[in-house]
Amino acid sequence: MTPTEGPSPTGSDAGPAPQPGTGAEPVARGRTADEEATAGGGAVEDASGEDVPGGGRRGDTVAAVVRQWQAVHPGLDTGPMEIIGRINRCAALLQQAEDAPLRRAGLSRPEFDLLGALRRTGHELTPGDLARETFSSGAAVTKRLKQLTERGLVERRGDTRDRRVVHLRLTDAGRDLVDAILPVQLAYETAVLSGVDGPEQGELAALLGELLSQLEGRLGVLRA
């Protein structure tokens, strides 16, 4: 799973705070399932597992949030919330759960991402390279590299032509640790996704890949 700064699928970095109106905020308690359904004029699923308005199912908190917003603003198009809210909610839950194999090894997800980048690229990288590879800030990379270097997992080499440039590579211990953890971590992530059928996982990966590609190409324009 490809990490990102902040909403990485797992890891010890604090997850992003739920944003109002994104569908990631907690659902108000004290209302029955029927009340939640009728708040937005829709119906919840029945025992057969029928979908509910908002594209979710009974256990989907975003669907309840969507119904609440539709009750307040009946003419509002909540379509974007139904997608982005669920992505944010999934990311937040995965971050809260953390990664058991990484935690047992004393690593956070962002730290493992740095080690993984050095392992999969197969050559030395600068801190700037690692920031781009892991979608992290330069300050965050510097802090993590200090910790990994102190643990003997990463070693630094100064550039012979420019003393301001630092080259980084895995030590033997760092490479062995990545190779030992990766299969276990992938098995853990497979278990996390076990509720989604194989073909559906492929479809989801393709859709997310398409969305990510578009966002990577347009994000600068959207921020302008």
Side-chain angles (χ1 to χ4, degrees):
M1 298 176 74
T2 303
T4 62
E5 178 67 5
S8 57
T10 47
S12 63
D13 274 9
Q19 298 298 313
T22 62
E25 65 266 29
V27 179
R29 301 301 183 215
R31 298 169 69 175
T32 66
D34 289 340
E35 289 170 338
E36 289 290 356
T38 56
V44 296
E45 63 171 1
D46 60 20
S48 64
E50 291 297 323
D51 291 344
V52 298
R57 293 179 181 274
R58 173 170 286 181
D60 183 347
T61 57
V62 174
V65 171
V66 166
R67 291 195 297 273
Q68 291 170 344
W69 276 120
Q70 289 174 342
V72 175
H73 294 290
L76 195 66
D77 179 11
T78 57
M81 184 188 301
E82 293 164 17
I83 297 173
I84 295 175
R86 288 188 173 97
I87 291 175
N88 287 342
R89 178 66 172 162
C90 287
L93 288 172
L94 288 170
Q95 287 171 339
Q96 291 170 15
E98 298 187 301
D99 297 80
L102 300 184
R103 190 168 62 251
R104 287 195 295 268
L107 291 172
S108 67
R109 163 63 76 161
E111 289 173 339
F112 182 71
D113 289 342
L114 291 179
L115 297 176
L118 289 168
R119 182 68 174 111
R120 61 185 164 76
T121 57
H123 55 76
E124 294 180 338
L125 297 173
T126 66
D129 293 332
L130 284 170
R132 287 187 292 272
E133 286 285 337
T134 59
F135 306 99
S136 304
S137 69
V141 167
T142 297
K143 179 180 178 181
R144 293 163 192 156
L145 285 173
K146 182 177 184 295
Q147 296 168 338
L148 294 172
T149 300
E150 290 174 350
R151 289 185 59 180
L153 302 176
V154 174
E155 57 186 8
R156 306 160 63 95
R157 177 181 67 81
D159 191 278
T160 56
R161 293 175 295 181
D162 188 344
R163 289 182 295 178
R164 296 172 299 178
V165 178
V166 175
H167 300 275
L168 301 147
R169 62 187 175 192
L170 290 178
T171 62
D172 290 342
R175 183 176 60 253
D176 291 344
L177 182 61
V178 173
D179 289 348
I181 291 177
L182 185 58
V184 181
Q185 179 63 25
L186 288 174
Y188 172 82
E189 293 178 356
T190 297
V192 169
L193 296 172
S194 61
V196 182
D197 292 338
E200 291 180 338
Q201 286 189 28
E203 294 174 7
L204 178 60
L207 289 171
L208 290 174
E210 182 177 348
L211 174 61
L212 178 59
S213 178
Q214 292 181 14
L215 289 178
E216 288 175 338
R218 298 179 182 176
L219 192 53
V221 176
L222 292 174
R223 285 178 173 174

